[in-house]
Amino acid sequence: EKRGIMSRIKGSSDYKIFSKCDIVIEAINTNTKTTSINIRQEVFKKIEEHVCDNCIIASNTSTLMISDLSEDINKPERTLGLHFIAPVDDVKIVEIVKHAKTSDKAYNTGIKFINMINRTPIHVNESAGNIATRMTVPMINEACNIFMEGIASPSDIDKAMKASFGYQYGPFELADKIGLDKVLRWMDNLYQEFSEQKYKASPIIKRLVRANHLGRKTEIGFYRYKNNTIVEQAVTCAQINNKQ
């Protein structure tokens, strides 16, 4: 089955490959410390140059505004957001984001596509962070505050949240799985948009990212990992406070 799936996936650096597509989803991943809005805007423009008039152009971004990404293209009404929530292999819903200029035709096509891939569409009117990311960021930040105050360890905070609310991952496990560099970008984008303290990145997140302790992908974040499995807690309150 895996080989069959992989045989249907093709890679190219030539935008002409999109000429016959009905829908194109921008899902770039950058290592920039600042917002990726300019990069994504350029990708949108390049896509539009090569697709047919009826092609839908979507973005997987969760914290940038689709209306901002599409402001320089000729047909912004063809654009929308299709946010596949991490971890994508576990979460069976997709946030479909409609901005002020999104046409009903484009929106309905997006819904049809989501249904075709056996996911459930969640309808969202445009707002930075949509639903899931806006709820997740303050939870991770507050977990960091509880940890920094010496109230509980990351592992105990994660255990409490999973046992109390049935979460699959606690806030620290989730942050490590997403990638702390990505979490930091989410926080910076939301803080820039709303200027609310609950979105301002915790100092712990910033320190770990500076140290390149990004979570599972570097095998160290709030936890240490081996073969994608938690081995031990990687940080203590004393270590964090000593670095202040």
Side-chain angles (χ1 to χ4, degrees):
E1 184 179 357
K2 179 181 178 181
R3 286 194 296 269
I5 292 171
M6 295 303 294
S7 71
R8 295 191 291 272
I9 298 175
K10 299 178 181 179
S12 176
S13 58
D14 188 349
Y15 279 78
K16 292 179 182 178
I17 198 173
F18 298 136
S19 62
K20 296 182 179 180
C21 289
D22 297 313
I23 183 168
V24 178
I25 304 173
E26 170 274 308
I28 64 173
N29 185 24
T30 69
N31 292 320
T32 58
K33 294 183 179 179
T34 57
T35 178
S36 60
I37 186 169
N38 292 332
I39 300 172
R40 295 175 188 267
Q41 286 174 331
E42 185 63 27
V43 169
F44 262 44
K45 287 191 290 185
K46 288 181 178 179
I47 292 171
E48 189 177 47
E49 290 173 5
H50 294 91
V51 297
C52 66
D53 289 341
N54 294 323
C55 180
I56 307 304
I57 304 176
S59 176
N60 186 51
T61 184
S62 64
T63 56
L64 298 177
M65 305 288 274
I66 305 300
S67 55
D68 289 341
L69 300 186
S70 59
E71 64 181 11
D72 292 330
I73 70 172
N74 295 322
K75 297 181 66 177
E77 64 272 14
R78 68 162 75 194
T79 62
L80 47 79
L82 292 176
H83 179 223
F84 292 77
I85 300 169
V88 177
D89 51 338
D90 297 324
V91 180
K92 303 305 180 183
I93 63 172
V94 178
E95 293 176 323
I96 178 166
V97 184
K98 184 177 184 179
H99 64 89
K101 294 183 179 180
T102 302
S103 68
D104 290 339
K105 181 179 179 181
Y107 194 68
N108 291 334
T109 300
I111 293 174
K112 182 178 180 181
F113 169 71
I114 294 170
N115 289 327
M116 286 173 62
I117 60 173
N118 296 319
R119 294 293 191 273
T120 300
I122 299 296
H123 305 269
V124 181
N125 291 320
E126 184 182 43
S127 176
N130 303 330
I131 301 170
T133 304
R134 278 188 68 174
M135 295 293 290
T136 299
V137 163
M139 180 181 69
I140 293 173
N141 263 334
E142 189 59 27
C144 290
N145 290 338
I146 293 171
F147 171 45
M148 289 188 70
E149 291 171 20
I151 295 172
S153 67
S155 59
D156 282 341
I157 294 170
D158 280 344
K159 289 175 185 176
M161 294 300 291
K162 289 189 291 184
S164 299
F165 300 102
Y167 293 163
Q168 185 174 5
Y169 302 98
F172 296 107
E173 292 173 326
L174 182 60
D176 275 358
K177 186 173 178 65
I178 294 169
L180 299 186
D181 52 339
K182 186 172 183 177
V183 171
L184 179 58
R185 286 198 298 272
W186 284 355
M187 292 175 171
D188 288 344
N189 288 343
L190 289 175
Y191 186 67
Q192 181 177 335
E193 178 71 24
F194 297 108
S195 299
E196 293 187 14
Q197 195 69 22
K198 63 183 178 181
Y199 300 124
K200 188 173 183 180
S202 168
I204 303 176
I205 301 287
K206 293 182 177 181
R207 293 188 190 110
L208 291 174
V209 171
R210 290 192 192 107
N212 201 41
H213 294 180
L214 308 180
R216 291 194 181 195
K217 60 186 174 182
T218 58
E219 296 192 326
I220 184 171
F222 287 104
Y223 298 95
R224 293 186 188 276
Y225 297 85
K226 187 175 182 179
N227 298 325
N228 213 32
T229 301
I230 294 175
V231 175
E232 62 182 357
Q233 183 179 303
V235 293
T236 66
C237 194
Q239 289 172 324
I240 292 296
N241 290 333
N242 287 337
K243 292 179 182 178
Q244 289 184 353

